[in-house]
Amino acid sequence: MKKILLPSILFLISLLATAKTALAQDIGDPGAYMNAISNAETEMNKSYMAYISASAHSSRKRKIEKLRLQAVDNIVICQNSINNLPAYKGDNVLRQSSLNYVQLCYKIFNEDYVHIVNMDDIAERSYDEMQAYLLLQQATNDTLEVAIKRINKAEQSFANKYNVKIIDERTELGDKMEATGQLSKYHDKVYLLFYKCNWEDNQLTEAVNQKNVTKIEQVRNALDKYAKEGLAVLDTLKAFENDGSLANACSQALAFFKDEAETQMPKVTDYYLKEENFTKLKTAMDAKSNSERTQQDVDNYNKAVTDINNAVNDYNQTNNDLNNGRHAIIKTWDDTEKQFADTHTPYYK
């Protein structure tokens, strides 16, 4: 089970993807200066969107990594282009606000990329760490949002100061980046519901392998609670662009986890208790010599053998059903998640 990743920078960077044409009374000066900065940012956004598109639609890892590196290169080119601009008549506020934003993009997309490639390790540790990761993404978004607000403020201030009219225009690039940002938010909300129960299920499997009845009961109750809570959230969640496939796959998984906790796992603990009692009875029986064993002892032991054999058969069947069911819902989730991202992530080259 691997999370489909949509890097956190995407949603906020889309706010800058709307084309802004700056028209000055003297087009050769302040308007052209603003457009030079805007054009540099747009070229950076184009390469970034190409990477996101390839990540969703291609399985060629080399191609995806090549596009990521190209995106990093284009961030550097954007930074250099803006760096090479002089301050406009000594006014450096607009230029510096854009530089701050671009430098932040570079840090997130290059230096912080390790958080993305290490996602599998995070996912194996705990739900809390996964949630912390997503909260870190949100904190990154918040930081980007502050930088974008500064850019917008600097642009408006510059335009007012130098009598420039700014015309906002929607673009294909901007629309696609905005759509992908919305997709990322929806996906993460559903994914956390699935992940929380899936992680508890892994803990339950570990407890079963250890034959730790106390831990099984603790984890079983937690799994039941989280599955019920998740199903309640999904009941009120609207489909994404009339596509309810991801939520439905999550609902199927949570229904399985709920049944596992409420119906199947008590059979497992019941077997372990019977196994423990049989072991005690057998130990006591073995401790007696043939002459010391009464007919009642023999009858009780034979009945216990029959009971434990039946319990073993029930346990094996339950374990087999759980393994098959778990495999099926994980495969359904993985396939649906991949298809969902492929369907709703815009194509861009």
Side-chain angles (χ1 to χ4, degrees):
M1 186 269 295
K2 184 175 182 182
K3 179 176 185 291
I4 304 297
L5 296 168
L6 298 172
S8 61
I9 191 177
L10 180 60
F11 180 68
L12 269 302
I13 202 172
S14 69
L15 297 180
L16 280 185
T18 299
K20 294 183 178 181
T21 304
L23 302 175
Q25 289 181 340
D26 180 358
I27 194 64
D29 290 322
Y33 186 84
M34 293 185 73
N35 287 336
I37 293 176
S38 177
N39 291 340
E41 293 169 348
T42 298
E43 290 305 311
M44 176 183 73
N45 290 346
K46 286 180 179 178
S47 62
Y48 184 82
M49 189 60 215
Y51 162 72
I52 293 297
S53 178
S55 297
H57 301 301
S58 175
S59 59
R60 295 167 55 191
K61 294 183 179 180
R62 289 186 179 180
K63 174 184 176 181
I64 294 170
E65 177 60 11
K66 180 180 178 181
L67 288 171
R68 186 187 75 84
L69 294 175
Q70 288 178 356
V72 172
D73 288 343
N74 276 281
I75 293 174
V76 174
I77 292 171
C78 176
Q79 179 176 305
N80 291 338
S81 297
I82 298 172
N83 259 327
N84 290 333
L85 289 173
Y88 184 77
K89 295 183 178 180
D91 186 344
N92 198 43
V93 175
L94 177 60
R95 173 178 170 275
Q96 190 59 53
S97 65
S98 179
L99 275 177
N100 291 343
Y101 171 76
V102 174
Q103 289 165 356
L104 185 59
C105 289
Y106 179 85
K107 178 182 183 300
I108 294 168
F109 203 55
N110 189 49
E111 298 174 16
D112 294 352
Y113 185 72
V114 66
H115 293 300
I116 298 174
V117 297
N118 285 340
M119 175 60 80
D120 283 342
D121 293 335
I122 294 173
E124 290 174 358
R125 291 199 289 263
S126 75
Y127 169 80
D128 289 341
E129 294 209 41
M130 174 62 75
Q131 190 174 44
Y133 176 84
L134 296 178
L135 288 174
L136 176 61
Q137 286 189 327
Q138 185 57 52
T140 301
N141 276 343
D142 292 342
T143 302
L144 285 166
E145 188 170 13
V146 170
I148 290 171
K149 286 180 179 179
R150 287 174 180 166
I151 291 177
N152 291 336
K153 183 178 179 180
E155 285 178 343
Q156 194 58 56
S157 178
F158 186 93
N160 293 339
K161 185 175 182 179
Y162 298 105
N163 195 26
V164 177
K165 181 180 180 181
I166 300 177
I167 301 176
D168 292 337
E169 299 174 344
R170 296 195 65 85
T171 66
E172 178 188 10
L173 173 62
D175 289 344
K176 288 184 175 182
M177 296 187 80
E178 183 178 358
T180 311
Q182 293 170 352
L183 168 64
S184 179
K185 281 190 169 185
Y186 180 90
H187 169 272
D188 285 353
K189 183 173 184 177
V190 177
Y191 174 76
L192 267 181
L193 299 176
F194 171 82
Y195 179 87
K196 193 171 191 175
C197 289
N198 186 66
W199 189 83
E200 290 293 343
D201 177 63
N202 291 336
Q203 298 304 299
L204 193 56
T205 300
E206 183 179 311
V208 168
N209 291 336
Q210 296 170 349
K211 297 185 177 181
N212 188 333
V213 174
T214 301
K215 184 177 179 182
I216 289 174
E217 283 301 298
Q218 291 174 343
V219 179
R220 181 181 76 83
N221 289 328
L223 178 58
D224 189 37
K225 175 176 179 289
Y226 296 148
K228 288 177 179 177
E229 290 175 349
L231 287 168
V233 172
L234 290 170
D235 281 343
T236 62
L237 187 67
K238 295 181 180 180
F240 184 82
E241 295 182 354
N242 296 319
D243 183 352
S245 61
L246 190 68
N248 289 337
C250 185
S251 182
Q252 290 176 33
L254 268 54
F256 167 82
F257 291 133
K258 180 175 177 290
D259 179 69
E260 176 186 26
E262 294 179 353
T263 305
Q264 305 303 324
M265 206 45 57
K267 298 178 185 178
V268 174
T269 55
D270 181 61
Y271 165 73
Y272 287 149
L273 292 175
K274 287 180 178 179
E275 183 184 46
E276 182 181 354
N277 290 334
F278 176 77
T279 299
K280 291 178 181 178
L281 179 62
K282 185 176 184 302
T283 300
M285 189 69 168
D286 290 342
K288 294 180 179 181
S289 64
N290 288 337
S291 61
E292 293 174 321
R293 296 173 182 172
T294 67
Q295 186 60 45
Q296 185 66 42
D297 288 335
V298 174
D299 291 343
N300 288 341
Y301 180 75
N302 288 337
K303 181 179 184 302
V305 169
T306 301
D307 289 344
I308 195 64
N309 285 337
N310 290 333
V312 168
N313 291 333
D314 290 343
Y315 170 80
N316 288 337
Q317 184 62 53
T318 299
N319 207 33
N320 186 59
D321 291 343
L322 283 173
N323 287 335
N324 289 337
R326 183 179 294 110
H327 175 77
I329 62 108
I330 295 297
K331 186 178 187 306
T332 296
W333 168 264
D334 286 342
D335 292 347
T336 303
E337 187 184 31
K338 185 177 184 303
Q339 181 61 43
F340 187 81
D342 186 47
T343 299
H344 295 287
T345 303
Y347 283 86
Y348 192 85
K349 293 182 180 181

